[in-house]
Amino acid sequence: MKIAIMGGDGFVGWPTSLHLSNAGHEVHIIDNLSRRWIDTELGVQSLTPMDSIQERTRIWHAETGRKIRFHLIDLAKDYELLKNWLAEHRPDAIVHFAEQRAAPYSMKTDRHKNYTVNNNVNATHNLLNAMVELDLDAHLVHLGTMGVYGYSTVGAAIPEGYLPVGIKTMDGETASQEILYPSNPGSIYHMTKCLDQLLFQFYAKNDALRITDLHQGIVWGTHTDQTRRHPQLVNRFDYDGDYGTVLNRFLIQAAIGYPLTVHGSGGQTRAFIHIQDSVRCIEIALNNPPARGDRVEIFNQMTETHRVRDLAKLISSMTGAEIAWLPNPRKEAAENDLVVRNEKFLGLGLEPTTLKEGLLEEVVDVAKKFAYRVDRSRVPAVSAWTKDIAGKINRDPEGKSLKSVS
């Protein structure tokens, strides 16, 4: 297939681009490189040294003989440029990663909230709008989030996108219907993914676009089979309080002798997936498109769930790192259970990569190798969900004054 990967320079986009190129597809990366500018804004850099996208694709071609083409387009702002590109290339499939992906970043200030909404919602709508205008029957695969469901405890497994309900009719009977699982976003970022869902539902119903929405868990790990092929193909590794994902952050904190920062009780249960499984799931979704006129296909893209404090204890026992119990910058329940159904990917052949000590140690090794690139002052999570919470955040960069809140 000819595949356009929107946001292909990012944390999941880059290894996905390599994986699909390696499988023989013609891959085009569409990106505005905003994630690199955000690094500059935050005064932080990827733990792993990242070359320019041009150099990355050059190395891939030198190593494999396969070309990945890069096109600088801002999906949220350059509608005509995007439409013209799609008209010229008419890809068979589009993978949409082109959204600001960090919940803490989306909650930093009013400016960051506006940016996240404008970028994410406009990017999604511009893409859908252009596809309709061009009569482009490409399969759109979107990377969403488990966070659209929220993290409340309901005492039942979260289904894959749709919830069967009974509605009492005027004559007292019960009518059966399937609805989108009720959205319960926990941040501005998660809210934009909920808005994406509604856009997808409309365009699938109104214009018969073929859309797959992947509700992904928290990604951990850094390497895939393809990124291991050359040092300059390495994936980005975020460790800071805004973009670092919780398990990767624990692993680098352990590697540099920084306390493992558990916020609140650590009783938050989250869904997880390894980066290698993430790219495999995207390939599986691409190979199993819905038919034209079908409703949006929804997969829960995760392989396991864990409580944050249990992960901290696992990493602590493995590495000897101390655990610091800190005030929670997020507005969320102190404890929650999370049971998620993911039969669709398992039924299509996914063999999950679960938390194995060897893979965890691999991440620690990467962290130790590049520890000299760490700015310890960027490790704490300091973006607060509300002004009241902001006054309670612990901002000590070295952990010398970390105090327990339990």
Side-chain angles (χ1 to χ4, degrees), residues 43 151 209 242:
Y151 296 108
L209 292 189
D242 285 316

Side-chain angles (χ1 to χ4, degrees), residues 45-338:
Q45 61 184 349
S46 166
L47 175 72
T48 49
M50 283 173 53
D51 282 308
S52 68
I53 185 64
Q54 291 84 0
E55 180 66 4
R56 283 173 135 185
T57 55
R58 186 191 71 79
I59 292 292
W60 177 249
H61 182 246
E63 285 293 306
T64 66
R66 300 184 183 278
K67 283 189 176 181
I68 295 177
R69 293 166 178 82
F70 168 68
H71 311 270
L72 183 66
I73 301 175
D74 188 324
L75 267 67
K77 296 178 180 178
D78 301 333
Y79 175 72
E80 292 299 329
L81 195 59
L82 168 66
K83 189 169 74 169
N84 291 340
W85 188 92
L86 291 171
E88 177 184 353
H89 292 275
R90 301 196 72 87
D92 303 299
I94 299 170
V95 183
H96 178 21
F97 298 122
E99 296 180 89
Q100 193 291 106
R101 68 169 177 83
Y105 184 85
S106 77
M107 301 298 291
K108 289 181 79 66
T109 66
D110 55 347
R111 178 176 69 82
H112 293 88
K113 292 175 182 178
N114 282 341
Y115 169 75
T116 300
V117 172
N118 291 338
N119 181 81
N120 293 7
V121 179
N122 283 343
T124 298
H125 187 257
N126 282 349
L127 180 56
L128 294 166
N129 199 13
M131 291 173 69
V132 171
E133 185 67 19
L134 297 169
D135 293 320
L136 179 60
D137 184 27
H139 175 205
L140 174 61
V141 175
H142 171 256
L143 192 68
T145 171
M146 288 293 302
V148 299
Y149 300 127
Y151 296 108
S152 58
T153 300
V154 296
I158 293 175
E160 302 204 69
Y162 298 97
L163 181 69
V165 296
I167 302 172
K168 189 163 286 187
T169 63
M170 299 294 289
D171 57 9
E173 300 295 321
T174 299
S176 297
Q177 191 176 357
E178 278 200 319
I179 63 171
L180 270 180
Y181 193 91
S183 298
N184 187 19
S187 72
I188 293 294
Y189 157 72
H190 291 106
M191 185 189 70
T192 64
K193 297 290 189 174
C194 295
L195 296 175
D196 284 343
Q197 282 196 120
L198 294 177
L199 289 170
F200 296 144
Q201 294 293 317
F202 174 79
Y203 276 97
K205 175 185 70 174
N206 194 69
D207 300 287
L209 292 189
R210 297 183 296 128
I211 302 170
T212 298
D213 199 9
L214 307 175
H215 292 170
Q216 180 164 263
I218 295 170
V219 182
W220 66 281
T222 184
H223 279 307
T224 64
D225 292 341
Q226 286 74 45
T227 63
R228 290 188 182 93
R229 295 184 67 154
H230 191 281
Q232 287 174 272
L233 296 176
V234 69
N235 199 19
R236 72 176 299 125
F237 189 118
D238 299 305
Y239 65 86
D240 62 286
D242 285 316
Y243 275 89
T245 59
V246 62
L247 182 52
N248 277 1
R249 274 171 51 80
F250 283 165
L251 292 165
I252 192 172
Q253 287 169 347
I256 65 172
Y258 199 103
L260 309 183
T261 51
V262 176
H263 296 98
S265 69
Q268 309 93 334
T269 304
R270 299 287 193 256
F272 291 87
I273 186 169
H274 188 269
I275 186 68
Q276 181 70 69
D277 282 356
S278 185
V279 301
R280 286 177 181 143
C281 285
I282 291 157
E283 182 180 28
I284 290 171
L286 284 167
N287 291 334
N288 294 274
R292 192 166 175 83
D294 284 356
R295 69 180 183 180
V296 177
E297 180 66 82
I298 299 176
F299 291 82
N300 288 338
Q301 188 163 304
M302 49 73 65
T303 54
E304 54 191 326
T305 60
H306 298 279
R307 288 193 189 275
V308 171
R309 62 171 172 254
D310 293 338
L311 290 177
K313 290 172 184 176
L314 171 65
I315 305 305
S316 176
S317 64
M318 191 178 95
T319 63
E322 296 180 359
I323 299 176
W325 303 86
L326 305 179
N328 192 351
R330 301 186 181 219
K331 187 174 183 178
E332 62 182 347
E335 304 271 332
N336 78 291
D337 294 314
L338 186 66

